[in-house]
Amino acid sequence: MNLSKEFHEQGFHVVNNVYNKDEISTISNFINNLDTTNPIFRKTNDLFAIRQFIKEFPEIKKLLFNERLKEIIKNIGGEDYFIVKSIYFDKPEKSNWFVSYHQDLTISVDKKIEDENFSNWTNKHNQFAVQPPKEILENIVTVRIHLDDTNEDNGALKVLKKSHLKSICRIDSIEFKKETEVFCNVDSGGIMLMKPLLFHASNKNTNEKNRRVIHIEFSNKELPKNLHWSEFSEIENFTKHNS
């Protein structure tokens, strides 16, 4: 089964060896040298995160978008895909933070509008988020770049295979006995591809090893009524778009 077919049928896929050790070291050093007093950083005992990562630090793009990653995005999405959201996560080695099963149902936009097809608006840290029509969510491709070896002991995502095909639904409607749960173990330098409507979760860290991930979402959909993706950014050598 080819990459694109498996990704769209299963809702996820793991690809290792997207980055070599030198590339991962360069990316890690870039992050380690950032000024963490910036208010966009979220720091707790259980989680370190950088919101709007690529928007705030666009120079990271040349480190992340090597030819291997660009070919994968073209394969599963297309040459007209662009960045719509990015965040850096670090689940520290002693973290007790876990995330229960859920779907990713919101997008980041530049403002709030009145539209019956857009609901559940929030505004946190000067960032508007909203649940769009399911056609927009179904179009998004999520790429999770792993800077560390990640397995079920340090917070690798676990997913319900093919659950993205259920469209938008409540977790209490899921019959877990009938679902296939998979841990998405990823090597350092590998990536996990995921559909936002795939039910996913992560456990607490139990092996005292970090789990650093760069989460990037891509789409090729324009938004209606002068609404724009708040983190719109083009991929070098991809087709040009308006935000």
Side-chain angles (χ1 to χ4, degrees):
M1 184 180 291
N2 65 40
L3 171 60
S4 180
K5 183 177 176 60
E6 179 165 336
F7 170 70
H8 289 288
E9 287 185 359
Q10 306 295 328
F12 70 101
H13 192 77
V14 171
V15 184
N16 284 312
N17 301 311
V18 175
Y19 302 90
N20 61 38
K21 290 183 179 180
D22 288 341
E23 289 173 315
I24 290 298
S25 178
T26 301
I27 294 168
S28 299
N29 288 336
F30 177 91
I31 295 170
N32 292 338
N33 288 325
L34 295 175
D35 177 9
T36 59
T37 62
N38 191 310
I40 64 167
F41 289 72
R42 175 184 172 189
K43 294 186 290 183
T44 69
N45 292 333
D46 288 325
L47 176 67
F48 173 63
I50 306 173
R51 297 180 291 271
Q52 301 189 37
F53 182 51
I54 292 175
K55 183 177 181 179
E56 293 290 337
F57 306 103
E59 57 270 35
I60 191 66
K61 285 171 67 175
K62 65 180 182 294
L63 304 180
L64 299 179
F65 288 91
N66 63 13
E67 291 305 314
R68 178 78 168 125
L69 181 62
K70 287 193 284 190
E71 283 302 314
I72 291 170
I73 296 168
K74 290 178 184 179
N75 186 295
I76 63 174
E79 293 189 12
D80 58 347
Y81 268 58
F82 45 82
I83 301 163
V84 297
K85 187 175 184 178
S86 62
I87 187 167
Y88 167 78
F89 292 103
D90 180 8
K91 181 179 281 191
E93 61 270 19
K94 296 186 183 299
S95 174
N96 287 319
W97 176 61
F98 71 96
V99 179
S100 58
Y101 269 111
H102 66 285
Q103 298 172 299
D104 290 340
L105 297 179
T106 63
I107 60 172
S108 298
V109 295
D110 63 335
K111 58 181 172 290
K112 184 176 181 179
I113 63 170
E114 295 299 325
D115 189 312
E116 62 182 8
N117 296 313
F118 288 75
S119 60
N120 301 321
W121 288 89
T122 62
N123 184 6
K124 297 179 181 178
H125 310 290
N126 297 316
Q127 172 65 74
F128 287 101
V130 64
Q131 182 173 326
K134 70 180 181 65
E135 292 77 16
I136 292 176
L137 294 173
E138 289 171 342
N139 171 262
I140 291 174
V141 170
T142 297
V143 175
R144 294 169 58 88
I145 300 168
H146 284 250
L147 305 184
D148 302 297
D149 292 335
T150 308
N151 58 36
E152 55 265 39
D153 296 324
N154 67 327
L157 286 192
K158 54 185 179 180
V159 304
L160 302 182
K161 185 185 293 187
K162 297 185 178 182
S163 57
H164 66 300
L165 301 176
K166 301 178 187 296
S167 189
I168 298 172
C169 63
R170 294 172 56 89
I171 187 61
D172 55 15
S173 70
I174 300 294
E175 296 184 59
F176 278 85
K177 294 183 295 184
K178 297 181 179 180
E179 300 295 330
T180 301
E181 183 179 77
V182 178
F183 276 98
C184 298
N185 297 347
V186 187
D187 296 339
S188 173
I191 66 173
M192 179 193 170
L193 306 165
M194 187 179 71
K195 303 288 286 184
L197 294 183
L198 186 80
F199 275 96
H200 56 285
S202 66
N203 293 341
K204 296 178 181 179
N205 192 326
T206 60
N207 67 2
E208 298 193 352
K209 293 183 179 179
N210 278 57
R211 188 213 68 178
R212 296 171 299 159
V213 173
I214 299 170
H215 172 114
I216 310 174
E217 297 177 15
F218 301 86
S219 178
N220 66 352
K221 294 286 189 184
E222 305 296 342
L223 301 177
K225 293 187 177 180
N226 296 316
L227 189 65
H228 301 289
W229 301 98
S230 65
E231 297 181 56
F232 170 86
S233 181
E234 294 173 342
I235 304 169
E236 186 179 355
N237 297 326
F238 273 40
T239 304
K240 296 293 184 181
H241 289 266
N242 295 320
S243 60

